[in-house]
Amino acid sequence: QGGDGGFIEVSGKTGLDFHGTVNALAPLGMTGSLLLDPRDITINDGGSVVPLTDVDAFNDPSGTGNDTDVTIDKDTINAAAANVFLRANQDITLAAVSNISIAGVGLTLSMQAGRSITLNSNITTNNGAVTLTANETVGSGVNDASRALGSAVISMATGTTINAGNQNITLTVSTGPTTNNGSGDITLAGLTTTGHVLVVNN
């Protein structure tokens, strides 16, 4: 008769594998969220996969320095019946031939990386906002000890697209107060929306 969707988080001490499905919809309330959070996240087509709840917080892997690397099957994200949050203490990489296409109406995708975000495939939502943040701050929960040297970038490969329907696309590289900080370039390809596009490199 009411209520909102819940918060789902999957964590592991030194490794994460996700083969399940997630549903945090609420017919009469707000959609819930799924969070996954290791050191590096690679989104690929097939292979070893982890649940999205393993990569939705910067401290999810509880090993020293959050030094776990995770590979997520793109189909896990595409099938999620929840807003998706991917949080990596270092990098997030969307591999080639691994298009993200979230079917649920209004479901959002958020990627937050302690260093860089690289897109080698397309991202499409069904009128859901897309937010990419590189060089995320310690204040937001990043474990600075897990971030290797190097400037943070957001990079879209030639020919790739982000399509958010009628919702906003936001891409930010911050100069967050991390020990190894450095704000690099934002390289864009195709951005499609009837909402707003905000690109910030500060």
Side-chain angles (χ1 to χ4, degrees), residues 1-6 23-33 81-83 105-107:
Q1 300 300 313
D4 297 330
N23 189 327
L25 297 177
L28 300 178
M30 299 287 289
T31 298
S33 301
N83 296 317
V105 177
L107 297 181

Side-chain angles (χ1 to χ4, degrees), residues 140-154:
S140 296
V142 168
N143 184 330
D144 191 33
S146 295
R147 186 196 190 282
L149 292 170
S151 295
V153 303
I154 294 177

Side-chain angles (χ1 to χ4, degrees), residues 84-97:
V84 175
F85 293 85
L86 303 176
R87 293 174 179 160
N89 284 288
Q90 187 163 260
D91 298 330
I92 299 175
T93 302
L94 178 57
V97 196

Side-chain angles (χ1 to χ4, degrees), residues 93-160:
T93 302
L94 178 57
V97 196
S98 301
N99 292 336
I100 292 176
S101 183
I102 299 175
V105 177
L107 297 181
T108 64
L109 174 64
S110 174
M111 296 183 179
Q112 295 169 268
R115 190 171 62 180
S116 297
I117 299 174
T118 302
L119 304 182
N120 295 302
S121 293
N122 303 325
I123 295 175
T124 303
T125 65
N126 189 354
N127 296 323
V130 176
T131 304
L132 309 182
T133 306
N135 217 22
E136 187 57 277
T137 65
V138 171
S140 296
V142 168
N143 184 330
D144 191 33
S146 295
R147 186 196 190 282
L149 292 170
S151 295
V153 303
I154 294 177
S155 179
M156 297 178 65
T158 301
T160 59

